Amino acid sequence: MLIPHEIETTLPALYEQDGAKDPMVHIKFFNPTGGQSWYLTEYNAEENLAFGWVDLSNGLPELGYFSISELENIELPYHQKIERDVYFKPSPLSQIKAESRSAG
């Protein structure tokens, strides 16, 4: 389970940060065998649907929706799965974007 219930209840609902100049990113998911990352800003538990910054290491990171169920079902080499970065601290989206540009 990528989003434990105790965290799920603290996340902003979809569209809650709509129009915010610099929304907060609450969770980072990553591919441990590659460079892909998903940064959650809002979440709908009923649909298991998130919105946030998606960086698929293709040079075209973007804001968009992504399915947590789909992330949980991705099969990676060596029986690994997409993981939640347990050390990630909530950060403004502008900081995530700046770090993404400097890493690329």
Side-chain angles (χ1 to χ4, degrees):
M1 173 182 286
L2 283 175
I3 304 178
H5 182 68
E6 62 272 8
I7 293 174
E8 179 182 88
T9 59
T10 67
L11 297 174
L14 285 182
Y15 312 111
E16 192 172 318
Q17 296 191 76
D18 199 22
K21 186 173 182 161
D22 197 9
M24 287 298 291
V25 174
H26 295 272
I27 298 177
K28 174 187 177 183
F29 305 104
F30 67 97
N31 175 347
T33 66
Q36 300 85 9
S37 299
W38 297 261
Y39 298 89
L40 183 148
T41 60
E42 300 169 340
Y43 180 65
N44 179 312
E46 219 171 86
E47 297 180 36
N48 213 14
L49 183 67
F51 183 81
W53 185 249
V54 180
D55 186 352
L56 300 178
S57 300
N58 61 2
L60 302 170
E62 64 183 356
L63 283 171
Y65 295 92
F66 54 96
S67 167
I68 299 302
S69 298
E70 287 182 16
L71 291 183
E72 290 173 333
N73 289 314
I74 293 174
E75 295 184 21
L76 299 171
Y78 310 109
H79 304 289
Q80 293 190 346
K81 296 286 205 175
I82 300 299
E83 297 180 25
R84 178 175 53 89
D85 184 344
V86 296
Y87 300 105
F88 180 80
K89 302 277 190 252
S91 308
L93 181 57
S94 61
Q95 180 180 334
I96 301 303
K97 287 180 174 182
E99 290 170 1
S100 179
R101 280 192 295 273
S102 67

